Amino acid sequence: MRYFITLSYDGTRYHGWQVQPNGISVQGELQRGLSLLLRQPVAVTGAGRTDAGVHARMMVAHFDTEADVDCPQLAYKLNKLLPRDIAVQQVKPVADDMHARFSARARTYYYYIHTQKSPFLCHYSCQMHYQLDFSLMNQAAALLLEYDDFGAFCKSHADVKTTLCTVTKAEWRPLADGQWVFEISANRFLRNMVRAVVGTLIEVGRHRLTLDAFRRVIETGRRTEAGESMPANALFLQSIEY
């Protein structure tokens, strides 16, 4: 029987979602908890692989087991067992052909920035020390919807079979005085893609990159042409759609 787990986590102290040989991971903690509660080795497959320090307001993972599972009780016991920075919202049975990663139709990420120093934002938002032209940044963000190859924003030497993605939304929105969020949705994302996109849009917002130059960055397909990768602490996997 296959089950979906919906969870959220603060990625600050984890070396990303995926199990690592020399560091703690969210996947590793979840597998350890499930294996202990179900009294058998359990492997989980996530909807994606968030990098070290990246957070998730919604992550979905699946696992298979022949054990008799009481879903509400399993969710309750997992929350008692897992660290405080990982929370399970739901465990539910799904069809055997449902896959946490490949059945997902869309994923949405949020990236937060703020322009005034704040002790309450610094852990989950990136402080900008210069003025940004958000109108121009939104014009550049809209260009992303015209392309499907995002190799320019993929981490160099990443093990990916294709750099094709379908971006359906990309925009900056004000949240409060001096606080902004970048929202981007796509059917899939490349490794480090969102942080590289944000870093390049920041260059546009500083008037260091024109809209035509932003187009050329995308069209070259070369990571060296894009902006720097932004800090991980301000990035959230916001939602996943099936």
Side-chain angles (χ1 to χ4, degrees):
M1 187 83 182
R2 176 158 292 182
Y3 296 87
F4 266 20
I5 299 180
T6 303
L7 65 151
S8 56
Y9 53 85
D10 181 326
T12 302
R13 68 185 189 94
Y14 295 99
H15 290 87
W17 161 263
Q18 191 173 13
V19 170
Q20 303 291 327
N22 299 309
I24 60 172
S25 68
V26 180
Q27 182 186 33
E29 291 294 311
L30 188 58
Q31 290 183 163
R32 180 184 63 82
L34 282 169
S35 298
L36 184 64
L37 293 172
L38 297 178
R39 300 181 180 180
Q40 61 184 245
V42 177
V44 301
T45 300
R49 300 175 179 178
T50 54
D51 291 335
V54 176
H55 319 291
R57 287 200 173 92
M58 178 185 182
M59 171 61 87
V60 177
H62 77 250
F63 70 95
D64 298 318
T65 181
E66 296 302 320
D68 185 22
V69 175
D70 181 326
C71 291
Q73 272 297 304
L74 181 58
Y76 171 78
K77 291 178 179 179
L78 274 172
N79 278 325
K80 297 285 285 185
L81 190 62
L82 289 168
R84 294 173 62 185
D85 47 14
I86 302 176
V88 171
Q89 282 78 50
Q90 184 183 48
V91 178
K92 69 176 182 178
V94 295
D96 289 341
D97 61 350
M98 285 292 290
H99 193 284
R101 179 181 176 190
F102 299 124
S103 297
R105 296 186 296 109
R107 299 159 173 85
T108 297
Y109 279 89
Y110 282 6
Y111 194 90
Y112 295 89
I113 66 172
H114 58 285
T115 57
Q116 298 176 8
K117 184 177 180 180
S118 169
F120 307 110
L121 296 175
C122 61
H123 295 297
Y124 303 106
S125 177
C126 181
Q127 184 180 356
M128 297 287 103
H129 300 281
Y130 25 73
Q131 293 295 316
L132 296 173
D133 185 338
F134 285 97
S135 176
L136 193 63
M137 288 161 67
N138 266 331
Q139 292 179 58
L143 298 178
L144 296 170
L145 278 64
E146 300 179 15
Y147 294 87
D148 59 10
D149 192 331
F150 295 96
F153 305 115
C154 182
K155 186 172 183 178
S156 299
H157 310 299
D159 183 20
V160 293
K161 294 181 180 179
T162 177
T163 53
L164 299 181
C165 308
T166 302
V167 175
T168 55
K169 185 174 185 178
E171 68 173 9
W172 290 92
R173 292 185 285 105
L175 296 177
D177 187 27
Q179 298 176 45
W180 292 77
V181 63
F182 177 63
E183 178 179 351
I184 183 168
S185 300
N187 64 326
R188 65 189 292 265
F189 286 90
L190 306 173
R191 187 175 180 187
N192 205 53
M193 177 174 163
V194 180
R195 289 192 284 152
V197 166
V198 173
T200 312
L201 289 174
I202 293 295
E203 292 297 291
V204 173
R206 297 180 67 184
H207 294 164
R208 296 173 60 172
L209 201 66
T210 65
L211 293 178
D212 285 340
F214 185 78
R215 277 190 182 276
R216 287 194 294 272
V217 167
I218 301 173
E219 291 169 359
T220 64
R222 295 194 297 269
R223 179 67 185 90
T224 52
E225 299 297 316
E228 67 177 277
S229 178
M230 299 296 285
N233 69 294
L235 181 61
F236 288 75
L237 173 56
Q238 182 70 19
S239 63
I240 304 169
E241 298 176 24
Y242 289 91

